[in-house]
Amino acid sequence: MTRIHKICIFLLLVTVAPALAGTPLPRWYSKALTRSEAQLLAAAQQFGNSGKTPRTYEHGKIQLVSSNDWTSGFFPGSLWYAYELTGNEQLRSDAEKFTAFVANAQYRKNTHDLGFILYCSYGNGFRITRNAGYRQVLETGAKSLMSRYNRKTGLIKSWDPGIVSWSFPVIIDNMMNLEFLYNMGHLTGNNSMTEAAVSHANNTLKNHFRQDNSCYHVVAYDSISGNVAGRQTHQGYSDGSSWARGQGWALYGFTMMYRETKNPAYLAQAQKVASFILNHPRLPSDKVPYWDFDDPEIPNAPRDASAAAVIASALIELSTFTPDNNQYLDTAEIILKNLSDNKYLAKKGTNGFFILMHSTGNMPKKSEIDTPLSYADYYYLEALKRYRSIKQTGHL
Ligand code: GLY
């Protein structure tokens, strides 16, 4: 072999070998990432002095929210994910800045949404930086969340009287706060937190699901007897309908609780929910659900890209627990590819600097219909990160 041949082979190995380490990522993935980075940087620059975080863009106005709002942690969380995905140090510094904007939520005892608010922001920040100050905020926040746990019902109360008429309502969304409580229990050695998270998941498993494995939005409990007092909806089409994002929260919540506990009942429930969603006759071919599977206006009903993003992220994780089922990863890939198409992915500088279009926040209240939403962007970025890990390393 000549010296020239040796140099050529060396150059070939240096340039090609990294790509061989995993499956190459598709072109839509690079486009999604570049677009997301540009939108987030622009939003961070625009709102960096507001002390608030962007929630939606509706009727031509960008809505900014304080740490009193359940969505306030998603924008800082998106910045952390985008920083991990791109390595762009500006995104890290923006993530630090916007994370600090939601610090006051740690003291709130009037909401169950502390997982959404604090774990997406401070939780991701702590996972990436191991900043002791972040850990302190998380510890205080977990204690605040724990104050809503009721031993009689074995559940965390979602809303206080005044917001709704029920005395002890639990919404399926509350499954999403368990990751925060469970992991803080582990981190601090506080078993009452891990036990509360498990109890909440067990009671949700028992009371929230219908025969067909769809779930109700709200289950109201009698806090004296601990019994179920009613099953209704708040954001869905009707009490008996299947609100799309609620099905997404259920899928994500039980997949996550299986990851944490390895309780096979949680995995079985996650698979049943996945089966309900993926085999539903009214799931569109692009796999981005209508806002409620039972809206009689389908196919003219609005879509919910946020539900699609939550479902995609959950399905990627679920696929790691069920290696013989390709349907989960394949469907997640279809969702992500479609969300990364111009039909859903906003053009640079448009859409109030949000990444995705066409989500539905609260249809019964006629609020945030066919708008961007900060949580659609957050779970989209999380799903992109999970997708990249699976493709490049074979695991999350
Ligand atoms: N309450 C959370 C949601 O709208 O999904």
Side-chain angles (χ1 to χ4, degrees), residues 70 112-113 116 159 171 173 217 235 243 245-246 249 361 375:
W70 79 274
H112 72 135
D113 285 323
F116 281 131
W159 298 318
I171 60 175
D173 326 27
H217 184 199
Q235 277 162 265
W243 174 49
R245 196 162 55 253
W249 295 143
Y375 41 102

Side-chain angles (χ1 to χ4, degrees), residues 6-76:
K6 279 184 190 160
I7 290 171
C8 285
I9 287 170
F10 173 74
L11 284 176
L12 201 64
L13 283 176
V14 168
T15 50
V16 173
L20 294 178
T23 316
L25 292 162
R27 200 189 290 211
W28 60 258
Y29 171 87
S30 318
K31 173 185 155 195
L33 198 55
T34 310
R35 194 74 59 81
S36 299
E37 182 181 16
Q39 292 292 80
L40 288 167
L41 285 170
Q45 190 180 27
Q46 193 94 354
F47 309 120
N49 295 322
S50 69
K52 295 184 174 180
T53 68
R55 168 176 171 143
T56 187
Y57 177 60
E58 196 177 18
H59 310 307
K61 254 187 85 178
I62 294 164
Q63 190 193 350
L64 300 177
V65 292
S66 72
S67 60
N68 281 333
D69 190 281
W70 79 274
T71 66
S72 56
F74 292 117
F75 182 72

Side-chain angles (χ1 to χ4, degrees), residues 111-133:
T111 179
H112 72 135
D113 285 323
L114 294 176
F116 281 131
I117 301 171
L118 292 173
Y119 212 53
C120 298
S121 55
Y122 280 90
N124 277 309
F126 181 63
R127 179 176 59 76
I128 293 166
T129 65
R130 311 317 283 180
N131 177 330

